[in-house]
Amino acid sequence: MENDDLIKSFFEDMRTKDQNLEIPAFPKPKTRSINWIIPVGIAASLFLAGFLFFEKEPEAEAPAEVIIITLEEGPNQEQQFKIQESTYLDTWESGTSSLLTEF
């Protein structure tokens, strides 16, 4: 019990000493007007890098010539490939249209 009273009195003395201490004011950091230049420079660099690295690839143009390959049935039930070259495609026929006409 004596130890408890001794410890209590020790901490009470410390509290009274702490109340008499003067606490200095927290110093304000010096601000520079240059601090905003660094983030703006980084943002501008990233913006310009976006234009340099992500250029649009030129779109491939369609070839001027078109090759049309058809399968035709010749005499004696033999099938032949017919290859035609032209500068443009006149008509378009779907791949399943032969099912409608032949069957």
Side-chain angles (χ1 to χ4, degrees):
M1 278 252 200
E2 291 177 15
N3 287 337
D4 289 343
D5 292 337
L6 184 64
I7 291 174
K8 267 187 183 180
S9 66
F10 173 75
F11 282 111
E12 284 177 10
D13 290 341
M14 284 188 72
R15 281 188 195 124
T16 55
K17 288 179 184 176
D18 284 345
Q19 289 177 355
N20 294 333
L21 288 177
E22 289 184 28
I23 300 173
F26 189 75
K28 294 184 179 179
K30 296 179 181 179
T31 58
R32 295 183 189 174
S33 61
I34 299 175
N35 287 345
W36 61 271
I37 292 176
I38 295 170
V40 170
I42 292 171
S45 299
L46 291 175
F47 183 72
L48 291 175
F51 283 116
L52 295 177
F53 290 121
F54 300 110
E55 290 182 12
K56 267 190 170 178
E57 294 182 13
E59 295 180 13
E61 295 181 15
E65 295 182 1
V66 177
I67 298 174
I68 303 170
I69 302 173
T70 57
L71 183 64
E72 293 182 351
E73 191 172 319
N76 299 329
Q77 302 264 336
E78 59 188 38
Q79 295 182 347
Q80 298 175 346
F81 285 108
K82 183 179 178 185
I83 300 174
Q84 300 174 348
E85 292 183 25
S86 67
T87 56
Y88 58 92
L89 187 61
D90 292 333
T91 60
W92 178 81
E93 184 178 331
S94 69
T96 57
S97 66
S98 64
L99 295 174
L100 297 172
T101 58
E102 292 180 8
F103 296 103

